Amino acid sequence: MAKHGADEPSCRSGSLDGEGRNSEDRSLLHQRLAVQELIDTEVSYLHMLQLCASDIRSCLQQLPQGDLDVLFSNIDDIIKVNSRFLHDLQETASKKEEQVQLVGNLFLEFQEELEQVYKVYCASYDQALLLVDTYRKEPELQRHIQGIIEAVVPQAGSSGLSFLLVIPLQRITRYPLLLQKILENTVPDASAYPVLQRAVSALQDVNTNINEYKMRKEVASKYTKVEQLTLRERLARINTHTLSKKTTRLSQMLKQEAGLIPRTEDKEFDDLEERFQWVSLCVTELKNNVAAYLDNLQTFLCFRTHEYSLDIPEGPAVHYCNLARDLQLEAFLTFKQRLEGLVWQPLCSLAKALLGPQNLIKKRLDKLLDFERLEEKLLEVGSVTYQEEAARHTYQALNSLLVAELPQFNQLVVQWLGQILRTFMTLQRDLAKQVLQRAEGSMAQLPHHHVPEPAFRKLVEDALGRTNNQLRSFQETFEKVLPPPTTQPLLPGSERQVQTLLSRYGPGKLYQVTSNISGTGTLDLTLPRGQIVALLQNKDTKGNSSRWLVDTGGHRGYVPAGKLQPYHVVPSAEELRRQVGLNKDPRCLTPEPSPAPAPSIPTVNQVIAVYPFVARSSHEVSLQAGQPVTILEAQDKKGNPEWSLVEVNGQRGYVPSGFLARAPSPVLWGWSLPS
């Protein structure tokens, strides 16, 4: 009995050890199966991705490229990351003892890369599903897509594109479950156990971050849309709710400005916003400058000097015309086309890309005011409603997204700007090179191309000096025979008014209106062409020198300075004949004395115009100083001798009689070029 009792514990102990070993062996077996499941499913998953990227996407080329970019998103980046991940995962199979720990370390190593590529794909997944729904509304297109998918992936069934698009989402969410299964079959005291725990936690964080990023993108997509609404459409959107929100935000802002409540300070975001605004200003300024450059270039191309005939059959002028024609039709035109395609269009796209973030920053300010108000309410009351909690999360999502992505956006814009500027400089350098190459042939045909540079400079300076002397001599001769200044005739019945202004202000203050003036303001005057006014002040009350204060003899007000010119008092006909009769200069027009009493105009039919005259109506005719004039009637239809009916260049009309005088014989009028 004693011996039997002594042997019983020994048998029981051996049985327990066997059960422990069996349990450990089962756990190890399940662990290896779980690792093998991870590797096998990864191989199958990567094969499916490659089918989507190669066979299916290549067969759907009839869809717009924009649709393909949305449907398959960054699947190529996912394939690259998962290909490296699978390669390293398969390498662990050769190290059986350390395989589990290596798998955990591998997930920790690829944590950031997996999060980066999968969050981009997940953010565009909803938009891809919307495209799939639109395809279903077109039966013929849907049948074509379904046929392609069933031929490549038969297991997709009737789900078609939806089955394929959801595969990456399912895979990233399955990683924590596969790791958890491996962890459950690992003994706690194993060296791989803490590594697997960290890997499970890391992949759970990856999925959490992807969900948060997706939520932020959904919020951002709602506010980045820049809508071009009319005033009526904006008014139609106003309701009690929107008025209440805007009133509350305005109240919150006024309290902050008055110092009644503190303002939320976020130095990190403020620095990023300042950087963004600076970058936006650079883009705007560069766009305006390039637009002005293109306008100037277009104006330059409008002048085709080579098309004008210079009546020079040969010589440097012909070489210049050939070179100008070649540059105008080829070099400059090609430069303009390249400038528009390589600089202007990318710059416009860049400016358009700034609109979304700008709108998002404005919305963040509105949501910040809501957030601050809700934070105050939360401190006072201790709770908020569901809608108010959603508003708090909206601000937090917008702020987190901007803080995370504005640095990258600013950096990309600066890089883009730098590339545009480098392209612009390269185009300028290419243009200069082309012009020099094309000009070399023409320069070789010039008569002085063999002259050394110092001698050529001396030659040019001497030629310019001689030309300058000739020009100065011509100017002096021109000034001696320069016709009197152009002055409009007085309006009928305005002589008394002019005399009043002349006696009150003197001749130096009198100006004449050159074209009709229509006053738009309360202090502006409406005046006809030819009206005489007196200058009171050459600027308005705001210091604007383009508006002058004048006196018409009855009213005072402002008129545009550009429509006034100094008025030179025109003498009467008798004074004019007296002055011309006393003038003995043979180069001036002098009416010959007549023994008969001096009428208002000469007694001969053929006279010349002493002053230029601009017709104001169809009953009048324009004159040029020194122009021959034939008098038809020495008075108007009412017998007024101050106006004469004349014929000039086949046109008939009335002109002031005081503007006409009889020409001496021979007529010495004009000038000649200096010899």
Side-chain angles (χ1 to χ4, degrees), residues 501 504-512 532-540 545 547-553 556-561 564-567:
L501 294 175
R504 183 182 302 175
Y505 299 102
K509 291 288 186 178
L510 297 190
Y511 285 79
Q512 191 170 27
I532 305 300
V533 297
L535 176 63
L536 299 179
Q537 192 172 3
N538 59 356
K539 58 184 176 180
D540 59 11
S545 59
R547 295 176 71 240
W548 287 1
L549 179 64
V550 300
D551 182 7
T552 64
R556 294 186 178 186
Y558 291 98
V559 295
L564 296 178
Q565 68 176 10
Y567 175 70

Side-chain angles (χ1 to χ4, degrees), residues 380-664:
E380 296 174 358
V381 181
S383 63
V384 292
T385 63
Y386 176 79
Q387 290 81 3
E388 292 173 338
E389 185 66 25
R392 293 179 70 250
H393 289 323
T394 299
Y395 163 73
Q396 292 171 342
L398 283 177
N399 188 70
S400 300
L401 181 67
L402 287 171
V403 171
E405 297 195 356
L406 268 184
Q408 302 175 14
F409 186 82
N410 291 338
Q411 184 179 2
L412 288 175
V413 173
V414 171
Q415 293 176 357
W416 203 347
L417 268 178
Q419 185 61 41
I420 290 174
L421 288 173
R422 285 191 291 271
T423 303
F424 182 73
M425 290 186 291
T426 302
L427 293 179
Q428 293 277 11
R429 185 166 55 248
D430 291 346
L431 176 65
K433 185 177 180 181
Q434 290 181 29
V435 172
L436 289 176
Q437 289 177 350
R438 295 171 186 270
E440 285 178 355
S442 298
M443 291 172 59
Q445 302 177 25
L446 294 177
H448 303 292
H449 72 280
H450 60 281
V451 179
E453 183 177 351
F456 181 75
R457 288 180 177 273
K458 182 67 168 56
L459 184 67
V460 172
E461 291 176 357
D462 294 342
L464 290 177
R466 290 193 300 270
T467 305
N468 187 36
N469 294 333
Q470 293 177 358
L471 182 61
R472 187 180 298 107
S473 176
F474 173 79
Q475 180 182 3
E476 293 175 355
T477 306
F478 180 81
E479 290 177 351
K480 292 179 181 178
V481 297
L482 188 65
T486 302
T487 304
Q488 294 289 337
L490 296 178
L491 295 176
S494 61
E495 291 82 357
R496 182 176 299 176
Q497 180 184 7
V498 174
Q499 291 298 328
T500 303
L501 294 175
L502 188 62
S503 61
R504 183 182 302 175
Y505 299 102
K509 291 288 186 178
L510 297 190
Y511 285 79
Q512 191 170 27
V513 179
T514 58
S515 62
N516 295 333
I517 299 176
S518 298
T520 57
T522 55
L523 297 179
D524 294 343
L525 296 177
T526 299
L527 302 175
R529 184 178 64 175
Q531 174 78 39
I532 305 300
V533 297
L535 176 63
L536 299 179
Q537 192 172 3
N538 59 356
K539 58 184 176 180
D540 59 11
T541 55
K542 296 182 180 180
N544 184 9
S545 59
S546 63
R547 295 176 71 240
W548 287 1
L549 179 64
V550 300
D551 182 7
T552 64
H555 301 280
R556 294 186 178 186
Y558 291 98
V559 295
K563 293 189 176 184
L564 296 178
Q565 68 176 10
Y567 175 70
H568 302 275
V569 180
V570 180
S572 63
E574 294 182 0
E575 294 176 352
L576 180 63
R577 285 196 303 273
R578 189 183 312 112
Q579 294 174 3
V580 175
L582 294 176
N583 190 353
K584 301 301 182 181
D585 192 344
R587 292 174 297 179
C588 299
L589 293 176
T590 57
E592 293 182 359
S594 175
S600 59
I601 60 170
T603 58
V604 294
N605 292 333
Q606 188 66 36
V607 295
I608 64 170
V610 181
Y611 300 106
F613 172 70
V614 179
R616 299 167 299 177
S617 66
S618 59
H619 301 291
E620 299 175 355
V621 65
S622 299
L623 299 177
Q624 296 293 334
Q627 188 175 21
V629 179
T630 301
I631 298 178
L632 302 179
E633 294 182 8
Q635 58 188 8
D636 59 12
K637 293 183 179 181
K638 297 181 179 180
N640 183 9
E642 293 184 359
W643 291 87
S644 298
L645 179 64
V646 300
E647 182 177 352
V648 182
N649 293 334
Q651 297 182 353
R652 295 188 177 189
Y654 287 96
V655 297
S657 301
F659 280 47
L660 305 175
R662 181 173 151 193

